[in-house]
């Protein structure tokens, strides 16, 4: 199957969230991930005359699910949500868990359970395109806060992301990269920091980031092979190192 006409568009909502719209040009259909707000997403679809074939939810936080009902209702589209969030997302039409495979329109996804930020958090992996829709697990140069899960769980979730193919593109929900860059610089200035990426890699990252943000372009999607070199939370070599970093970041 020629998948050249499948692409992802970002719809910014709120202060720093992105809703992802996966578009199948041939069919004029799309899959939407984490519509925290309905109006910008509905407008986006209407302006392009695109039909909705389904909505994927990564976790129950309101900035990810707030617009779901209105968006799905407009198209009578199915809503996929984590089984472990059944109580928080009772209006989903299909609940998903580790190992499930979903076919939504022409897109196919595997479900990974990635606990830590929340207990029920899932990511959707599109193997054909090497796209990961990872909600609030990993960010540019950072990772999600631990609201429900343990350090162990989050560290394990990040290891799973690290093990994906090098060319993976990570579609994370927040534009936090610039703030996280400041944390990385602080970290590399510490004498006793146990986590050290290469300063030159970080400098290159900063240059590209400054260029993109200067042109009002998103830093998302992230390139996994680059994040693996510079993201301290992916560089952590043990749960202890990860916990140290997460605690330090929380104090900022
Ligand atoms: Zn969240």
């Amino acid at each position: 199957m020629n998948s050249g006409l499948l692409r992802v568009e970002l719809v910014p909502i709120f202060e720093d969230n992105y809703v992802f719209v996966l578009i199948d040009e041939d069919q004029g259909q799309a899959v939407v991930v984490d519509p925290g707000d309905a109006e910008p997403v509905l407008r986006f679809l209407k302006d392009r005359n695109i039909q909705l074939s389904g909505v994927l939810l990564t976790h129950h936080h309101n900035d990810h699910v707030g617009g779901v009902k209105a968006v799905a209702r407009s198209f009578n589209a199915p809503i996929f949500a984590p089984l472990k969030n059944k109580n928080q997302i009772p209006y989903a039409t299909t609940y998903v868990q580790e190992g499930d495979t979903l076919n939504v329109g022409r897109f196919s996804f595997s479900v990974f359970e990635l606990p830590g930020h929340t207990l029920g958090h899932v990511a959707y992996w599109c193997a054909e395109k090497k796209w990961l829709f990872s909600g609030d697990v990993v960010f540019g140069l950072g990772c999600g806060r631990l609201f429900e899960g343990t350090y162990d769980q989050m560290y394990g979730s990040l290891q799973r992301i690290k093990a994906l193919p090098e060319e993976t593109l990570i579609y994370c929900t927040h534009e936090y990269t610039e703030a996280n860059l400041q944390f990385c610089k602080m970290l590399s200035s510490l004498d006793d920091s146990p986590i050290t990426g290469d300063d030159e890699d970080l400098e290159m990252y900063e240059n590209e980031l400054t260029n993109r943000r200067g042109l009002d372009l998103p830093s998302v999607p992230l390139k996994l092979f680059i994040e693996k070199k510079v993201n301290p939370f992916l560089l952590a070599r043990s749960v202890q190192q990860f916990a140290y970093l997460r605690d330090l970041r929380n104090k900022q």
Side-chain angles (χ1 to χ4, degrees), residues 13-41:
I13 59 166
F14 307 137
E15 206 139 291
D16 51 31
N17 283 58
Y18 295 122
V19 177
F20 302 114
V21 183
L22 288 59
I23 301 173
D24 172 356
E25 295 272 14
D26 271 353
Q27 305 293 322
Q29 289 190 341
V31 173
V32 165
V33 184
D34 283 354
D37 194 8
E39 200 276 328
V41 177

Side-chain angles (χ1 to χ4, degrees), residues 17 34 58-64 117-118 121 135-137 139 144-145 147 173-174 176:
N17 283 58
D34 283 354
T58 61
H59 65 297
H60 63 83
H61 285 160
N62 203 49
D63 61 323
H64 295 248
H117 177 68
T118 64
H121 202 301
D136 289 352
V137 178
F139 296 124
R145 283 176 184 272
F147 285 117
T173 308
H174 290 279
Y176 288 161

